[in-house]
Amino acid sequence: MATLLGGLATSHIPAIGNALAKGWQQEPYWKPFFDGFPPIHRWLNQVRPEVVVVFYNDHGLNFFLDKMPTFAVGAAAEYHNADEGWGIPTLPPLAGCPDLSWQIIRHLVACEFDVVTCQEMLVDHACTLPLKLFWPEYEVAPVQIVPIDINTVQFPLPTARRVYKLGQAVGEAIQRWDSDKRVLVMATGGLSHQLEGERAGFINKAFDQQFLESMVSNPEWATQFSDLELVERAGTQGVELLMWLAMRAALTRGGAGVRKVHSNYHIPISNTATGVMALECLA
Ligand code: DHB
Ligand code: FE
């Protein structure tokens, strides 16, 4: 059976694409953000994942308001990036893993999740930039991916409880996958931020820190909140932290718990409170 190694999570912000392209990692504005990554790079070099399941939220590149799935699973052999209008470089295509995609899709449907299956799927900054951040040495991250999109764009959003159950089912599917591959689960989004309206610029450090702590010691903590309660606490785009919840839930199926490899929190990059974390599944 496949091995579930652990989980990664990071904020995704288009401006990061520009900073990477310009080599600004050591600039005073960017350094406290990029300094969160080298300990995780060292861990990735040790555990050497081959396939990464990426929980991310599309921002209007692949799905728009006219057709908005709650959960969509990629089942393509290759995922292309395209111009989103942020002025950042378009990145080369990422390799898919259709075998794991269909394993996850079959298991989710058997668990009564009615997912959209996507044999073609454009991926945006939320999928491409985290892979660049975690594998900066490579033109294209040396892994195959299975992108899973969770709607955080158009209300109603899936409840945190539902997202947690989705993550658990994805974790089960990975652990039952008849393969010798080494698999990681990744989340991208958050932490608190709001890009528009009267509260534009809103950040909630106390909430973010409680959420980060819950990732390690109390993974179900955030499932107590409704979508609007999450908006109130984390901002209209801070609800992207639902991806972190799905990732963490996927790691609960091993039964032996997790060890925090490293985490970092830095305010702000652009309008966002940034977080990064790596968790290792205990054998
Ligand atoms: C920003 C944050 C996001 O999560 C995003 O998708 C786009 C922009 C920002 O802070 O600029
Ligand atoms: Fe976003």
Side-chain angles (χ1 to χ4, degrees), residues 12-15 57 59 86 125-126 189-190 193 195 237 240 269-272:
H12 61 235
I13 301 164
N57 59 292
H59 297 71
W86 295 101
H125 68 277
H193 63 298
L195 301 180
Q237 281 72 38
E240 292 175 346
I269 292 294
S270 185
N271 296 293
T272 299

Side-chain angles (χ1 to χ4, degrees), residues 107-125:
H107 189 66
L108 288 177
V109 172
C111 294
E112 302 178 348
F113 286 92
D114 305 315
V115 294
V116 173
T117 59
C118 304
Q119 299 193 56
E120 286 183 358
M121 193 172 185
L122 286 176
V123 289
D124 70 11
H125 68 277

Side-chain angles (χ1 to χ4, degrees), residues 170-214:
V170 169
E172 277 163 14
I174 295 168
Q175 286 184 322
R176 295 177 191 180
W177 183 30
D178 186 8
S179 163
D180 59 6
K181 298 272 193 218
R182 301 159 66 76
V183 184
L184 268 183
V185 183
M186 181 192 291
T188 100
L191 294 172
S192 61
H193 63 298
Q194 173 146 344
L195 301 180
E196 77 291 290
E198 281 176 17
R199 288 206 312 172
F202 173 80
I203 277 174
N204 186 346
K205 182 175 177 182
F207 177 81
D208 287 338
Q209 291 191 328
Q210 215 171 352
F211 179 73
L212 285 173
E213 175 52 37
S214 76

Side-chain angles (χ1 to χ4, degrees), residues 17-94:
N18 202 24
L20 286 167
K22 302 250 168 72
W24 287 343
Q25 290 87 335
Q26 296 303 315
E27 297 287 319
Y29 179 84
W30 288 98
K31 191 172 170 7
F33 170 73
F34 281 103
D35 278 354
F37 288 83
I40 300 177
H41 298 153
R42 289 193 281 277
W43 177 68
L44 288 172
N45 267 333
Q46 285 166 18
V47 297
R48 298 189 175 279
E50 296 165 283
V51 187
V52 183
V53 176
V54 186
F55 288 109
Y56 84 109
N57 59 292
D58 181 84
H59 297 71
L61 180 70
N62 194 76
F63 303 111
F64 202 60
L65 304 181
D66 57 340
K67 299 184 193 68
M68 183 57 68
T70 298
F71 301 128
V73 183
E78 207 173 57
Y79 297 94
H80 287 257
N81 183 214
D83 185 7
E84 301 170 63
W86 295 101
I88 56 174
T90 299
L91 295 173
L94 297 155

